[in-house]
């Protein structure tokens, strides 16, 4: 037995560090989503739900959404409607799809790289996982409407794997199965998002670069032509406006570069009021240029050595993802550049697609480094991965903070809808057409118990079993109770009474349990208002007696009365958070 001490495997540690870092980032994102789920019925989702209530099933599925047909997403919306139309079904589906994409690409990277060095394989998998499922995608992942982008991303990766199999097959072998599968993926893609037209185009480009047999090239060209025809037909059905004008070539190229490189940058403040860094757009352009260089270098290598594709599966898949990322950027620019401006390229709605461009570049560079005998290149690759993970971490912190605040805003707007509160400021969060929103809620949401009516069991006017006078006093309590100013009332609801906003902070006496929600009760224990906990702030406001979780809500006074505020916890505890007189304005 040798007495020589075993040497510590530093390369494995170098690969394990980014792997652990990536797992922590993904776990943090999933935990955020569990703690911050919010209803998906706001803005375009409300518009789509209203369309669903007016159209027949097939007509609704095939009705254009901007320049897209989103039938696959609408199938999920219809399933979600059967479970309360809260947005839970598309949100869960989106996360599962992204996890599936991360798993498929990670297995591919591990199978290719592990035999040559497990530490480099660990680093590559870490980058793939963190870039595939990261916090900069929160707008897409947490809003049910955006599941169309996640579906398209999953189809893109499926197409990439099929094309890699197709182009690596010997000329004498039949490729019927992957070709048929690619046709099916493209057909489903065209029912998912207009950018699916780029799938067969990218496959055709790779086939030409890799010197595929001419019969395969012709079949791919036919698929590309048919897909392009469908795309142009759908665009031709649009009314004058979004997506009907073609921008200049130079502006379109800049837009596509910024969209590809902007995965981890924010170019517009919405839904936050925070200022945007002036360096975000130049940084996105620079990153887009780097991705374009990687794609061009790999394309030239395939063109120069036609048989190399067989030995480079990571490069094949990576280049396909890069081509799709730029193709999606071009499609987005054709539809939105002239109307929304160049900053739209950094919209978080494209974060899933641009993240795939970064993943594609990682796969290509990993393939390059795995083929090199020089160890420092592999160590440099790990360094690049760590830098990418730090950028992911920074973007995730920013987006979690922004969408934590936005989730509160959506909940508050939804409570105004639940209680029929004519408050323009909060209803605007959900939908600018207040009368249309109120009518849709009265005719469809409330009778069917969908949306906020599914998530919250409280109803205006229902009797509560709690007697406020018998409850102990809370630690903290009501802080603000103010009538909605007359000039801020939307006039959307026919509900009687004067609308009020209220807020405060409280904990249960003794146990210190945080407040989950608050009931506003009249002397007959009828519910006249409701509020829910918001995210706690880092420090109390000056002069506030805030001691626990903050809450915000609305009440509607139909007569001059006294309102008791009862704070409840998830465990069934309750305490009296305050009492105040409310008045109903004379009609």
């Amino acid at each position: 037995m040798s007495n020589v001490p075993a040497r510590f495997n530093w390369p494995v540690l170098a690969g394990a560090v980014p792997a652990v870092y990536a797992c922590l980032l993904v776990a943090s994102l999933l935990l955020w989503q569990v703690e911050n789920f919010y209803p998906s019925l706001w803005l375009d989702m409300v518009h789509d739900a209203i369309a669903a209530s007016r159209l027949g099933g097939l007509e609704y599925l095939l009705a254009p959404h901007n320049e897209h047909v989103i039938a696959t997403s609408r199938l999920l919306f219809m399933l979600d409607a059967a479970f309360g139309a809260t947005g839970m079904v598309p949100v869960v589906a989106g996360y599962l799809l992204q996890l599936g994409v991360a798993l498929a690409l990670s297995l591919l990277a591990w199978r290719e790289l592990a035999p040559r060095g497990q530490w480099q394989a660990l680093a590559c998998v870490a980058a793939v996982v963190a870039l595939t499922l990261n916090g900069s995608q929160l707008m897409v992942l947490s809003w049910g409407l955006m599941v169309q982008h996640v579906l398209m991303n999953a189809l893109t990766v499926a197409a990439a794997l099929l094309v890699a199999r197709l182009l690596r097959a010997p000329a004498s072998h039949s490729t019927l199965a992957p070709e048929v599968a690619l046709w099916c993926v493209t057909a489903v893609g065209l029912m998912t998002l207009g950018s699916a037209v780029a799938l067969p185009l990218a496959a055709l480009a790779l086939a030409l670069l890799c010197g595929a047999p001419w019969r395969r090239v012709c079949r791919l060209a036919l698929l590309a032509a048919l897909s392009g025809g469908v795309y142009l037909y759908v665009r031709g059905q649009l009314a004058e406006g979004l997506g009907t004008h073609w921008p200049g070539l130079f502006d379109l190229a800049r837009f596509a570069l910024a969209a590809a490189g902007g995965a981890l940058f924010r170019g517009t403040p919405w839904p936050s009021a925070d200022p945007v860094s002036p360096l975000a757009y130049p940084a996105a352009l620079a990153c887009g240029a780097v991705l374009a260089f990687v794609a061009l270098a790999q394309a030239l290598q395939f063109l120069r050595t036609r048989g190399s594709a067989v030995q480079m599966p990571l490069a094949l898949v990576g280049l396909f993802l890069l081509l799709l990322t730029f193709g999606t950027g071009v499609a987005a620019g054709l539809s939105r550049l002239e109307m929304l401006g160049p900053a739209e390229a950094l919209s978080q709605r494209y974060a899933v697609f641009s993240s795939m461009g970064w993943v594609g570049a990682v796969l290509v560079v990993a393939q390059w480094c795995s083929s090199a005998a020089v160890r420092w290149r592999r160590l440099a690759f790990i360094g690049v991965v760590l830098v990418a993970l730090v950028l992911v971490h920074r973007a995730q912190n920013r987006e979690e903070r922004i969408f934590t605040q936005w989730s509160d805003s959506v909940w508050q707007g939804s409570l105004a809808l639940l209680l029929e509160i004519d408050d323009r400021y909060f209803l605007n969060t959900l939908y600018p057409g207040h009368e249309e929103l109120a009518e849709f809620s009265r005719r469809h949401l409330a009778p069917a118990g969908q949306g906020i009516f599914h998530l919250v069991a409280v109803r205006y006017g229902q009797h509560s079993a709690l007697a406020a006078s018998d409850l102990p006093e809370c630690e903290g309590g009501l802080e603000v109770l103010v009538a909605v100013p007359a000039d801020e009332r939307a006039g959307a609801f026919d509900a009687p009474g004067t609308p009020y906003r209220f807020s405060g902070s409280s904990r249960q006496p003794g146990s210190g349990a945080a407040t989950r929600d608050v009931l506003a009760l009249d002397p007959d224990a009828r519910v006249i208002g409701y509020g829910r906990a918001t995210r706690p702030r880092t420090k109390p406001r000056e002069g506030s007696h805030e001691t626990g979780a903050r809450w915000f809500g609305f009440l509607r006074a139909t007569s001059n009365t006294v309102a008791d505020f009862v704070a409840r916890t998830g465990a069934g505890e309750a305490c009296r958070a305050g009492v105040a007189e409310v008045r109903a304005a004379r009609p």
Side-chain angles (χ1 to χ4, degrees):
M1 183 174 180
S2 174
N3 293 323
V4 178
R7 295 177 59 188
F8 189 79
N9 197 334
W10 289 106
V12 171
L13 178 63
V17 169
V20 173
Y21 194 0
C23 289
L24 291 175
L25 288 173
V26 172
S28 171
L29 177 65
L30 296 175
L31 181 62
W32 182 95
Q33 184 62 68
V34 171
E35 293 181 344
N36 293 273
F37 173 78
Y38 58 96
S40 282
L41 279 175
W42 49 276
L43 297 184
D44 286 14
M45 194 71 171
V46 174
H47 180 78
D48 198 81
I50 292 173
S53 69
R54 294 174 177 172
L55 302 175
L58 184 59
E59 186 181 6
Y60 164 64
L61 285 176
L62 299 179
H65 174 82
N66 294 331
E67 72 277 22
H68 311 290
V69 174
I70 58 170
T72 51
S73 299
R74 284 173 170 160
L75 286 173
L76 288 175
F77 301 160
M78 293 168 72
L79 179 62
D80 186 57
F83 290 93
T86 63
M88 181 70 76
V89 169
V91 167
V92 171
Y95 274 94
L96 290 177
L97 284 169
Q98 285 296 86
L99 286 169
V101 165
L103 178 61
L105 293 177
S106 296
L107 288 175
L108 174 70
W110 184 265
R111 187 168 59 246
E112 175 67 15
L113 298 176
R116 309 178 191 183
Q118 292 185 352
W119 50 284
Q120 185 192 359
L122 278 174
C124 184
V125 167
V128 167
V129 170
L131 287 169
T132 300
L133 191 65
N134 66 77
S136 96
Q137 303 168 4
L138 269 181
M139 178 182 177
V140 175
L141 292 172
S142 66
W143 184 19
L145 179 76
M146 291 285 106
V147 73
Q148 56 192 274
H149 290 199
V150 185
L151 285 165
M152 190 66 240
N153 187 55
L155 292 170
T156 295
V157 173
L161 297 174
L162 288 170
V163 169
R165 179 183 171 188
L166 178 67
L167 296 182
R168 296 179 70 200
S172 58
H173 286 202
S174 171
T175 56
L176 180 62
E179 286 189 51
V180 170
L182 183 61
W183 278 70
C184 293
V185 166
T186 303
V188 175
L190 291 170
M191 294 291 104
T192 301
L193 216 57
S195 59
V197 68
L199 292 175
L201 289 173
L204 177 61
L206 277 180
L208 292 172
L209 288 171
C210 297
W214 68 270
R215 290 180 182 273
R216 295 179 192 173
V217 172
C218 289
R219 290 192 290 267
L220 290 174
L222 175 61
L223 177 58
L226 291 175
S227 302
V230 171
Y231 174 74
L232 293 175
Y233 173 78
V234 174
R235 280 182 61 91
Q237 304 306 303
L238 299 177
E240 190 73 14
L242 185 67
T244 58
H245 299 289
W246 301 93
L249 186 60
F250 177 75
D251 292 336
L252 184 61
R254 279 174 53 90
F255 187 97
L257 282 176
L264 304 177
F265 305 102
R266 173 173 278 273
T268 55
W270 187 91
S272 168
D274 296 349
V276 175
S277 170
L279 298 178
Y281 197 84
L285 278 175
C287 290
V290 171
L291 296 185
F293 171 79
V294 172
L296 182 61
Q298 185 57 59
L300 290 175
Q301 182 177 3
F302 280 149
L303 191 62
R304 190 171 58 252
T305 55
R306 291 299 183 95
S308 62
V310 177
Q311 288 79 35
M312 303 182 73
L314 289 186
L316 266 177
V317 172
L319 183 55
F320 187 92
L321 295 179
L322 283 165
L323 292 175
L324 255 294
T325 298
F326 286 110
T328 301
V330 169
L334 290 174
S335 302
R336 288 167 170 79
L337 176 56
E338 288 200 358
M339 186 170 185
L340 301 177
E344 174 67 9
L346 269 62
S347 170
Q348 303 313 112
R349 74 183 70 207
Y350 308 125
V352 167
F353 301 125
S354 53
S355 293
M356 278 299 102
W358 289 48
V359 170
V362 166
L363 294 178
V364 170
V365 174
Q367 187 83 76
W368 293 348
C369 293
S370 71
S371 303
V374 185
R375 174 172 284 194
W376 71 263
R377 294 188 183 180
R378 302 184 184 183
L379 292 175
F381 172 74
I382 291 181
V384 171
V385 168
L386 285 173
V387 171
L389 292 180
V390 170
L391 291 176
V392 168
H393 192 177
R394 178 177 176 274
Q396 186 158 307
N397 285 342
R398 180 193 67 225
E399 296 303 313
E400 286 181 357
R401 174 178 51 79
I402 289 173
F403 278 91
T404 294
Q405 297 169 355
W406 179 247
S407 68
D408 276 344
S409 298
V410 173
W411 271 107
Q412 290 159 7
S414 298
L415 292 185
L417 187 67
L418 174 75
L419 300 171
E420 297 188 326
I421 301 296
D422 266 323
D423 193 322
R424 179 180 293 108
Y425 176 81
F426 288 95
L427 292 177
N428 276 343
T429 300
L430 301 184
Y431 197 63
H434 305 136
E435 292 79 7
E436 191 176 14
L437 174 63
E439 181 72 7
F440 175 65
S441 176
R442 184 178 65 83
R443 287 182 174 270
H444 299 281
L445 295 181
Q450 293 188 329
I452 189 64
F453 296 92
H454 180 84
L455 293 169
V456 177
V458 174
R459 298 292 183 269
Y460 187 90
Q462 76 180 38
H463 187 272
S464 173
L466 296 172
S469 59
D470 297 335
L471 298 175
E473 295 293 326
C474 298
E475 296 177 8
L478 180 70
E479 295 179 2
V480 177
L481 176 65
V482 58
V484 177
D487 60 349
E488 294 182 16
R489 298 181 192 177
F493 300 103
D494 295 329
T498 300
Y500 282 79
R501 305 166 183 160
F502 65 83
S503 62
S505 171
S506 63
R507 288 190 182 275
Q508 295 294 318
S511 69
T515 298
R516 181 195 66 183
D517 59 11
V518 176
L519 300 176
L521 306 175
D522 70 4
D524 296 324
R526 289 185 307 111
V527 174
I528 61 172
Y530 180 74
R532 70 181 299 275
T534 62
R535 297 287 290 181
R537 288 202 295 266
T538 55
K539 61 181 180 179
R541 294 179 302 171
E542 185 177 353
S544 168
H545 59 276
E546 179 178 331
T547 59
R550 291 201 58 77
W551 32 265
F552 178 92
F554 302 94
L555 69 80
R556 182 159 43 86
T558 57
S559 62
N560 297 340
T561 188
V562 173
D564 273 300
F565 294 83
V566 176
R568 306 188 298 180
T569 70
E573 295 180 85
C575 61
R576 197 176 190 182
V579 58
E581 182 180 3
V582 292
R583 294 181 175 274
R586 294 180 179 179

